[in-house]
């Protein structure tokens, strides 16, 4: 492991490139090594390249399993992930090995809510087809029945996962005249619910979701939860948006529903097996696709980095930061 500074005692390895401001700060605090070309690393590559690191900076693209942690454990005390999601990290193994894990909640909620609305608007109003029509030179001119989509006013937005991001989506969606329904493990306090209709089962939410918004954190328990049976509970010609994790959705079932028109359109920012999504999505006109950019704003990516730095500083003072997972 080569280092950028000889006087710093703690070593850190950065698995992906962070924003320049955050990388500069990390370079001031740690003997920092980084994955210069920013390619996604497999666990075995990380184990080799990060050998000797005390702090490992990862993102949702790195699988941090028990064997990687065991390989780095002799020196590793903290894993800091530039993501709110932590389904890529074996938290139980981290606890067992005494490795602390930090993540980045809250600071990305607004950015993720913005992408959720971007997907929702583009799915409902046929953004992909509209853009293609203009860009391709195939626009024959305005016509009364051209590219008709679904209006939002008065429709029911069913949010699955009414945490910080789900609530940020609800706030914006109300401005478009959508009526908010949600399902969570437990009902929110009235001030957080803000008039939204609670459903104590996912099935009940689905039956009332003209637009389904998947915003729950990805967990192994939720894998494939939106299967053929559950998608069939949606009202006819519903819209499906996913900003959570791709593997919550059974791709085959959703694609079939999009092809038959049972689902009017989908807006997807996340996919199973990224970046190798099911190729059938690319062939569908009624799908609006973005490449996992929920938190991709300049401000948010800086804020995520600073939150990790603050968390590490707090740990150094013997405090328990709010963004500590394990
Ligand atoms: C998150 O923060 O979990 C986003 O999905 C980016 O990884």
């Amino acid at each position: 492991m080569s280092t950028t500074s000889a006087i710093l005692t703690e070593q850190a390895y950065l698995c992906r490139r962070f924003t320049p401001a955050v990388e500069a700060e990390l370079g001031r605090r740690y003997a920092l090594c980084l994955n210069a070309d920013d390619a996604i690393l497999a666990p075995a590559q990380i184990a080799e390249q990060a050998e000797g690191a005390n702090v490992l900076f990862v993102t949702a693209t790195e699988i941090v399993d028990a064997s990687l942690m065991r390989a780095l454990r002799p020196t590793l005390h903290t894993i800091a992930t530039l993501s709110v999601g932590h389904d890529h990290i074996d938290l139980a193994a981290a606890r067992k090995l005494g490795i602390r894990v930090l993540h980045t909640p809250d600071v990305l909620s607004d950015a993720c809510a913005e992408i959720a609305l971007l997907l929702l608007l583009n799915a409902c109003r046929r953004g992909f087809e509209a853009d293609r029509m203009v860009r391709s030179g195939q626009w024959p001119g305005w016509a009364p029945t051209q590219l008709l989509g679904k209006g939002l006013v008065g429709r029911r937005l069913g949010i699955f996962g009414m945490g910080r991001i789900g609530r940020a989506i609800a706030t914006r969606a109300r401005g478009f005249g959508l009526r908010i329904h949600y399902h969570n493990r437990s009902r929110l306090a009235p001030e957080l619910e803000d008039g939204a209709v609670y459903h104590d089962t996912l099935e009940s939410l689905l039956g009332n979701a003209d637009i389904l918004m998947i915003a729950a954190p990805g967990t192994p328990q939720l894998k494939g939860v939106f299967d053929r049976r559950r998608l069939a509970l949606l009202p006819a010609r519903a819209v499906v948006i996913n900003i959570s994790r791709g593997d919550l959705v059974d791709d085959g079932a959703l694609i079939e529903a999009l092809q038959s028109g049972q689902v009017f359109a989908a807006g997807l920012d996340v996919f199973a097996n990224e970046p190798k999504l099911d190729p059938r999505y690319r062939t569908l006109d009624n799908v609006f696709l973005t490449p996992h950019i929920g938190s991709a704003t300049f401000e948010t990516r800086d804020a995520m980095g600073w939150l990790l730095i603050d968390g590490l500083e707090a740990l150094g003072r013997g405090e328990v930061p709010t963004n500590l997972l394990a």
Side-chain angles (χ1 to χ4, degrees):
M1 176 161 169
S2 66
T3 60
T4 52
S5 164
I7 48 164
L8 298 164
T9 52
E10 287 261 286
Q11 294 196 25
Y13 187 77
L14 195 53
C15 288
R16 302 301 304 273
R17 302 305 303 265
F18 288 8
T19 59
V22 172
E23 283 193 359
E25 185 58 27
L26 292 177
R28 280 189 280 277
R29 290 166 183 252
Y30 298 99
L32 186 66
C33 279
L34 40 85
N35 170 19
D37 69 5
D38 203 27
I40 296 174
L41 300 172
Q45 292 172 297
I46 300 173
E48 198 182 308
Q49 294 182 28
E51 193 188 350
N54 307 108
V55 180
L56 182 69
F57 289 93
V58 301
T59 72
T61 56
E62 286 69 57
I63 308 296
V64 188
D65 56 17
S67 67
L68 171 58
M69 287 187 237
R70 273 196 297 273
L72 296 177
R73 181 60 191 112
T75 53
L76 187 70
H77 59 68
T78 307
I79 295 165
T81 183
L82 195 85
S83 63
V84 65
H86 47 79
D87 47 312
H88 54 296
I89 302 175
D90 185 341
L91 290 184
R95 284 188 198 105
K96 218 160 151 184
L97 291 163
I99 296 171
R100 288 163 304 186
V101 181
L102 296 166
H103 73 145
T104 61
D106 296 321
V107 292
L108 43 60
S109 302
D110 289 334
C112 290
E114 287 163 8
I115 283 293
L117 268 294
L118 177 141
L119 294 171
L120 187 158
L121 288 165
N122 276 287
C124 289
R125 298 299 302 274
R126 304 176 61 176
F128 167 68
E129 292 167 276
D131 180 273
R132 183 181 58 187
M133 186 180 278
V134 179
R135 208 180 282 275
S136 65
Q138 302 297 308
W139 183 28
W142 189 89
T145 56
Q146 192 175 75
L147 288 177
L148 302 185
K150 283 176 101 88
L152 303 186
V153 177
R155 290 201 197 275
R156 297 163 297 176
L157 175 64
I159 302 180
F160 176 62
M162 194 71 150
R164 291 166 284 233
I165 296 174
R167 295 198 300 276
I169 294 168
T171 300
R172 287 155 178 80
R174 286 185 185 98
F176 284 101
L178 286 158
R179 294 182 285 138
I180 311 301
H181 291 240
Y182 75 100
H183 171 64
N184 245 6
R185 267 169 310 187
S186 50
R187 187 169 180 170
L188 298 176
E191 65 276 15
L192 294 179
E193 207 169 60
D194 199 10
V197 179
Y198 177 63
H199 294 263
D200 59 4
T201 65
L202 174 55
E203 283 71 14
S204 168
L205 178 76
L206 290 171
N208 287 278
D210 300 315
I211 302 167
L212 171 67
M213 176 66 68
I214 305 172
T219 62
Q221 298 75 31
L222 289 179
K223 206 170 168 179
V225 67
F226 294 99
D227 56 12
R228 193 164 278 103
R229 179 182 72 80
R230 290 204 177 87
L231 289 176
L233 299 175
L234 288 165
R237 319 271 296 153
V239 169
V240 174
I241 310 297
N242 189 3
I243 58 151
S244 163
R245 288 291 183 261
D247 60 11
L248 268 66
V249 174
D250 174 339
D251 286 328
L254 178 58
I255 288 165
E256 225 170 73
L258 284 160
Q259 284 167 337
S260 71
Q262 183 229 334
V263 166
F264 174 77
L268 307 174
D269 185 49
V270 288
F271 307 90
N273 199 26
E274 291 177 13
K276 296 187 182 124
L277 62 149
D278 189 314
R280 290 173 292 175
Y281 282 126
R282 292 196 205 102
T283 67
L284 296 172
D285 285 355
N286 53 346
V287 183
F288 189 81
L289 304 169
T290 50
H292 202 146
I293 54 168
S295 58
T297 70
F298 298 110
E299 306 81 359
T300 303
R301 284 289 152 75
D302 273 344
M304 292 164 79
W306 289 114
L307 187 58
L308 294 179
I309 290 169
D310 290 347
L312 283 156
E313 216 173 79
L315 286 174
R317 290 192 300 267
E319 295 166 10
V320 179
T322 53
N323 58 331
L324 186 69
L325 282 169

